[in-house]
Amino acid sequence: MTAAEQLRARARYRRLGIQAVLVIVTALAVWGAVTNAQYNLTRLNMTSGFAFLDRGTGWNYSFSLVERSINDPYSYTLFIGLLNTLFVGFICIITTTIFGFLIGTLRDARHPALNFAASVYVQIFRNIPLILQAIFLYAILIHLGGPRQAVSFGDVAFLSGRGVMLPGLNVTPTVAVAILLASLGLGIGLILARTTLWRGLAIWFGGSVAMALFAALVLRPEGEGILSIPVLQGLRFSGGISVPIELFALITSITLYGSAYVAEIVRGGLAQVPRGLVEAGQALGLSRVSIWSRIKVPMALRSIIPPLGNQWIFMMKATTIGIAIGFSDLFYITVNAISQSGQTLELILLLMLTFLAINYSIAIFTNWLNARLKLKEH
């Protein structure tokens, strides 16, 4: 063995030794923390473990996408909270992305009035804390009148202090959740199939609408139509989709807040598109819309996706502010479960691991999408 090879071998052994020491120290620290926690729990006569997940909760909450009762075990109740969090999170990701692209495009527009309006929007909603916006909006909405004083939108949608009534498909909530999952699966399939952006969006939208209409046509109650329109009957509305006021306030506040950040991300990405590409499109006689959709957006996506992925992760974490206005997301249900069961460490551990898995999945998808959009080098 030469002297150079001996030096490389020593350096490798030194690195392995340092890593082994770090692993041992980390394991000892974790073991000490677990042992100390078990000792303190025993001293306080508190039980540990996850056996409590099979016990009934005995308490109710405001919103659920599936059937529920107060006798449900903690495991099923936490699962419902997870569904609620994913439901709100993915809706907010979609709405903030759409509105953010719209406002960011206006920020990049040459029209001074549109540019100024978009700039004012960004400065207002970006600089007010999200929780203040949610509480303020919720306080306004709950002071609206009852169903008889509801604000009507074309006699098909209504807004009152009790919530929002919207026309919807005449299906059960379970079928509606199945349609949402099928739509999500279709979108993932189109992404994996490497479908182009605009074609993929058209196929996804058309396929989702077709699946929803087919489900409503086949599974609707006998003798009723495909659509269910809300109608005022006495002191309440019947039919349609009832959106609780807490859910509406949460989605609206997160959308307004998040779209301001997405707009700045989009504006920065559009500003990085080389001016020569835009001038080339103008020389070919392309319209402004064609230049935006065929040149600027495809090129800007390569710089937009990484920070946009971070914003998607933030949108998912922002759903936890629902506890401030009484929305029963995973965080809200976990806090209630802690106060009822006393299993603080276990429930907080489950909450952290769940959000870690969700946000890590979003990060993996963002990295994959970013790699797919990179320009190929030859």
Side-chain angles (χ1 to χ4, degrees):
M1 182 180 294
T2 63
E5 291 176 343
Q6 290 179 353
L7 290 175
R8 286 196 295 269
R10 290 175 183 175
R12 183 170 64 254
Y13 292 144
R14 189 183 303 111
R15 289 195 299 270
L16 292 175
I18 294 174
Q19 293 175 8
V21 171
L22 289 176
V23 170
I24 293 173
V25 171
T26 303
L28 290 175
V30 172
W31 177 80
V34 172
T35 303
N36 185 60
Q38 289 178 343
Y39 170 77
N40 290 329
L41 291 174
T42 303
R43 188 168 56 88
L44 296 173
N45 294 322
M46 295 176 62
T47 59
S48 61
F50 295 93
F52 74 97
L53 293 174
D54 295 328
R55 299 202 310 260
T57 58
W59 42 271
N60 205 349
Y61 40 93
S62 61
F63 178 77
S64 173
L65 292 170
V66 294
E67 297 294 333
R68 71 186 191 275
S69 72
I70 62 174
N71 298 319
D72 292 331
Y74 279 95
S75 57
Y76 186 72
T77 304
L78 292 171
F79 173 71
I80 290 176
L82 174 61
L83 286 182
N84 293 346
T85 293
L86 293 175
F87 177 71
V88 174
F90 282 118
I91 286 180
C92 290
I93 286 174
I94 294 173
T95 54
T96 53
T97 303
I98 294 174
F99 282 105
F101 264 85
L102 176 61
I103 299 167
T105 301
L106 295 180
R107 287 271 283 156
D108 187 63
R110 295 183 178 181
H111 197 288
L114 296 177
N115 192 299
F116 176 76
S119 301
V120 170
Y121 174 91
V122 169
Q123 296 303 324
I124 290 176
F125 289 102
R126 190 179 60 172
N127 293 305
I128 300 177
L130 175 57
I131 191 169
L132 292 182
Q133 296 186 36
I135 294 175
F136 179 73
L137 180 61
Y138 178 70
I140 293 177
L141 293 175
I142 61 174
H143 285 88
L144 295 176
R148 288 183 177 273
Q149 293 80 36
V151 180
S152 174
F153 299 92
D155 292 330
V156 294
F158 303 89
L159 173 63
S160 70
R162 297 184 183 179
V164 182
M165 298 300 302
L166 301 171
L169 297 175
N170 205 352
V171 295
T172 62
T174 303
V175 175
V177 173
I179 294 172
L180 290 175
L181 293 176
S183 177
L184 179 61
L186 175 62
I188 295 175
L190 291 172
I191 293 173
L192 295 177
R194 297 179 177 271
T195 310
T196 58
L197 178 62
W198 302 114
R199 183 181 179 185
L201 288 175
I203 295 176
W204 173 78
F205 180 77
S208 300
V209 172
M211 286 188 296
L213 292 177
F214 177 77
L217 182 64
V218 174
L219 302 175
R220 73 183 190 277
E222 187 176 355
E224 298 187 13
I226 295 178
L227 292 178
S228 177
I229 307 297
V231 178
L232 181 62
Q233 292 183 349
L235 298 177
R236 65 183 184 88
F237 286 98
S238 64
I241 300 175
S242 177
V243 180
I245 204 68
E246 299 86 3
L247 176 59
F248 179 72
L250 181 62
I251 292 177
T252 303
S253 58
I254 293 178
T255 300
L256 293 175
Y257 182 80
S259 59
Y261 282 91
V262 174
E264 286 299 277
I265 294 172
V266 172
R267 182 192 62 82
L270 293 175
Q272 293 182 17
V273 177
R275 181 62 186 171
L277 295 178
V278 178
E279 293 175 349
Q282 294 172 344
L284 293 174
L286 297 178
S287 63
R288 290 185 178 181
V289 176
S290 297
I291 292 175
W292 180 83
S293 62
R294 296 177 179 272
I295 298 177
K296 300 193 71 173
V297 171
M299 293 298 298
L301 282 176
R302 292 166 174 82
S303 58
I304 288 175
I305 292 299
L308 185 60
N310 294 333
Q311 195 62 29
W312 288 343
I313 293 175
F314 173 78
M315 291 296 99
M316 189 61 70
K317 293 187 291 186
T319 59
T320 56
I321 70 165
I323 192 174
I325 57 178
F327 178 71
S328 53
D329 66 330
L330 181 60
F331 185 60
Y332 175 93
I333 288 180
T334 300
V335 171
N336 279 350
I338 289 174
S339 63
Q340 296 292 331
S341 67
Q343 308 293 145
T344 305
L345 296 179
E346 293 85 350
L347 287 167
I348 290 180
L349 178 62
L350 289 175
L351 181 65
M352 290 191 300
L353 291 177
T354 301
F355 271 104
L356 178 64
I358 294 172
N359 292 328
Y360 188 66
S361 300
I362 296 175
I364 291 176
F365 170 75
T366 303
N367 292 335
W368 174 84
L369 185 61
N370 184 47
R372 183 173 179 268
L373 291 175
K374 280 185 178 180
L375 291 174
K376 301 296 186 294
E377 297 181 359
H378 300 281

